[in-house]
């Protein structure tokens, strides 16, 4: 017990060596000038530690994968705060911040979210924040005496980049489906011829439409920079073969390098194996995780059947079988197109299309067999 005689309204008592959560009993006695006495008692619980640490997690539409969170919404985000507790002075309030690093508040400074717990939705991401840039959320939980505990989220990448879905090449999947690369396919190439000038040697009734704002004078058109000439295209002239190309260069652009074909023996369903591509590097933009894969089976441009298949949220992005139960044209070439769709449906991949040939009949043998005796 410590006894003090005070002539003022407050005092600091030091050197008590109190411990956290220790209860201190206080009694105050007062006397007036004639000796009359009054007494008052109370107690104080010592709060010397911050609240118990909780956690902060990204909420929908975010999807967590391999220590990283992704969402296909770049304007707003949501978090869930749980697990904080304080048995001392009790919890007072919560502050939240967004930053470019764990614990940082350089994207959105600290603001009070106490009234919005446990899930804070529609958190605005500044419009200037770049697409595919990593974002962190940090929460501070304060108790009544000012101590606080700080929890930090895993990184999240808000992205508008559509998901990338490919087929798992080089394997035989369930139902006997094989992704086969056609060895006889001739790559489709677009060739462009660029000429710095050309001369027309037969100028009778020539209408020059190839070069804008060019005057035809003395049968010579100079210069025609970066003009594409393909067998006298865009030139109206009786004798097209009299056009002479000069200083020409050609460039080629590959439109389709290979052709992959789906082969299978069954016609009641299709099973393919998908691969989702996650890329979280500085040079390759990440893709928003998939929620659904839409499929369509067509024959000669006419859609025969279509549907959607859900993708597990715990999909690791490596392989997942997608079974499509639909009738497949027997022994006819058709086309199967797959489109990956994100959780909110805001982003969808470009359709991944493959030719499909399903035929339950064995191949016909039209040759002959000859047996030879002796050394072949």
């Amino acid at each position: 017990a410590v006894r003090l005689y005070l002539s003022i309204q407050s005092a600091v008592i030091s050197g008590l060596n109190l411990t956290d959560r220790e209860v201190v009993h206080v009694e105050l006695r007062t006397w007036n000038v004639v000796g009359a006495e009054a007494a008052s008692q109370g107690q104080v619980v010592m709060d010397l530690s911050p609240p118990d640490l909780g956690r902060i997690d990204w909420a929908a539409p975010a999807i967590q994968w391999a220590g990283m969170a992704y969402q296909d919404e770049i304007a707003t985000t949501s978090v869930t705060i749980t697990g904080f507790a304080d048995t001392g002075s009790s919890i007072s309030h919560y502050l939240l911040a967004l930053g470019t690093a764990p614990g940082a508040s350089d994207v959105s400074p600290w603001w009070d979210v106490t009234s919005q717990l446990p899930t804070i939705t529609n958190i605005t991401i500044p419009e200037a924040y770049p697409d595919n840039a990593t974002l962190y959320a940090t929460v501070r939980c304060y108790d009544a005496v000012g101590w606080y505990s700080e929890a930090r989220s895993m990184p999240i990448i808000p992205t508008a980049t559509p998901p990338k879905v490919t087929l798992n090449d080089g394997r035989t999947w369930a139902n006997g489906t094989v992704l086969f690369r056609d060895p006889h396919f001739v790559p489709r190439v677009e060739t462009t011829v660029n000429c710095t000038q050309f001369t027309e040697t037969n100028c009778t009734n020539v209408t020059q439409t190839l070069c804008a704002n060019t005057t035809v004078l003395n049968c010579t058109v100079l210069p025609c920079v970066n003009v594409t000439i393909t067998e006298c295209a865009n030139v109206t002239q009786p004798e097209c073969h009299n056009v002479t190309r000069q200083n020409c260069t050609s460039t080629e652009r590959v439109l389709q390098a290979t052709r992959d074909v789906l082969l299978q023996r069954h016609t009641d369903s299709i099973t393919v194996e998908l691969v989702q591509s996650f890329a979280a590097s500085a040079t390759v933009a990440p893709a928003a995780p998939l929620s659904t894969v839409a499929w369509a089976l067509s024959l000669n441009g006419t859609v025969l059947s279509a549907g959607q298949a859900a993708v597990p949220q715990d999909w690791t992005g490596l392989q997942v079988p997608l079974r499509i139960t639909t009738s497949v044209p027997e022994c006819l070439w058709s086309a199967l197109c797959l489109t990956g769709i994100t959780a909110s449906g805001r982003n969808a991949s470009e359709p991944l299309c493959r030719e499909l040939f399903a035929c339950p009949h064995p191949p016909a043998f039209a040759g002959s067999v000859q047996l030879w005796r002796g050394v072949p």
Side-chain angles (χ1 to χ4, degrees):
V2 177
R3 178 172 294 180
L4 295 177
Y5 295 93
L6 306 176
S7 60
I8 56 177
Q9 294 181 346
S10 64
V12 176
I13 305 173
S14 60
L16 299 182
N17 295 322
L18 300 174
T19 59
D20 191 27
R21 305 297 190 265
E22 183 177 353
V23 179
V24 178
H25 298 274
V26 179
E27 182 179 273
L28 178 65
R29 292 180 179 270
T30 59
W31 293 266
N32 62 15
V33 294
V34 297
E37 178 182 345
S40 178
Q41 294 85 26
Q43 64 181 31
V44 177
V45 178
M46 303 306 300
D47 188 350
L48 306 178
S49 61
D52 297 336
L53 185 63
R55 60 181 297 155
I56 180 171
D57 298 290
W58 299 104
I63 296 178
Q64 297 182 8
W65 177 79
M68 179 74 73
Y70 296 84
Q71 69 173 47
D72 61 345
E73 168 63 66
I74 59 174
T76 62
T77 189
S78 302
V79 298
T80 298
I81 299 172
T82 57
F84 289 95
D86 191 279
T87 58
S89 60
S90 74
I91 293 175
S92 170
H93 61 282
Y94 294 81
L95 298 183
L96 181 66
L98 300 180
T100 56
S105 59
D106 53 335
V107 176
S108 295
W110 300 99
W111 78 96
D112 195 310
V113 295
T114 309
S115 62
Q116 300 173 262
L117 298 179
T119 301
I120 298 92
T121 59
N122 296 320
I123 301 171
T124 300
I125 301 174
E127 186 175 352
Y129 199 70
D131 185 21
N132 297 321
T134 304
L135 186 67
Y136 294 84
T138 305
V139 62
R140 289 178 178 177
C141 174
Y142 288 80
D143 64 17
V145 297
W147 296 105
Y148 71 84
S149 296
E150 182 176 288
R152 301 171 180 180
S153 71
M154 68 170 59
I156 190 172
I157 296 182
T159 175
T161 304
K164 181 176 177 57
V165 179
T166 59
L167 290 174
N168 191 15
D169 295 345
R171 288 197 51 180
T172 300
W173 309 313
N175 208 31
T177 308
V178 179
L179 182 62
F180 175 75
R181 178 151 294 178
D182 187 353
H184 304 294
F185 178 75
V186 178
R188 295 174 54 226
V189 179
E190 179 184 72
T191 302
T192 301
V193 178
N194 294 317
C195 301
T196 58
Q197 67 182 43
F198 67 93
T199 302
E200 299 171 353
T201 57
N202 185 349
C203 292
T204 305
N205 298 322
V206 173
T207 301
Q208 176 64 48
T209 59
L210 190 60
C211 295
N213 301 321
T214 300
T215 301
V216 179
L217 184 62
N218 298 327
C219 303
T220 302
V221 180
L222 295 174
C224 287
V225 181
N226 295 326
V227 173
T228 300
I229 302 176
T230 306
E231 298 301 324
C232 300
N234 299 324
V235 176
T236 302
Q237 181 175 319
E239 298 293 337
C240 239
H241 61 274
N242 288 329
V243 175
T244 302
R245 307 175 192 178
Q246 298 175 354
N247 301 328
C248 297
T249 59
S250 63
T251 58
E252 292 185 350
R253 183 170 66 97
V254 178
L255 301 178
Q256 184 178 358
T258 59
R259 182 175 73 169
D260 293 330
V261 180
L262 290 169
L263 303 176
Q264 70 173 42
R265 296 185 300 170
H266 305 279
T267 58
D268 58 342
S269 64
I270 308 167
T271 301
V272 295
E273 195 169 272
L274 299 178
V275 179
Q276 179 174 205
S277 175
F278 286 97
S281 68
T283 57
V284 182
L290 283 179
S291 172
T292 308
V293 173
W295 58 268
L297 183 68
S298 61
L299 179 63
N300 297 327
T302 301
V303 176
L304 302 178
S305 56
Q308 291 188 346
V311 175
Q313 283 203 8
D314 58 352
W315 185 19
T316 62
L318 298 179
Q319 290 93 28
V320 61
L322 177 67
R323 187 176 180 86
I324 301 170
T325 303
T326 184
S327 177
V328 180
E330 182 177 318
C331 299
L332 290 176
W333 289 95
S334 56
L336 177 67
C337 290
L338 307 171
T339 302
I341 304 173
T342 55
S344 67
R346 292 184 179 88
N347 292 322
S349 66
E350 290 294 325
L352 172 67
C353 298
R354 292 290 182 267
E355 294 186 62
L356 172 66
F357 185 73
C359 192
H361 309 297
F365 180 71
S368 62
V369 176
Q370 293 181 340
L371 299 178
W372 298 85
R373 205 177 265 187
V375 179

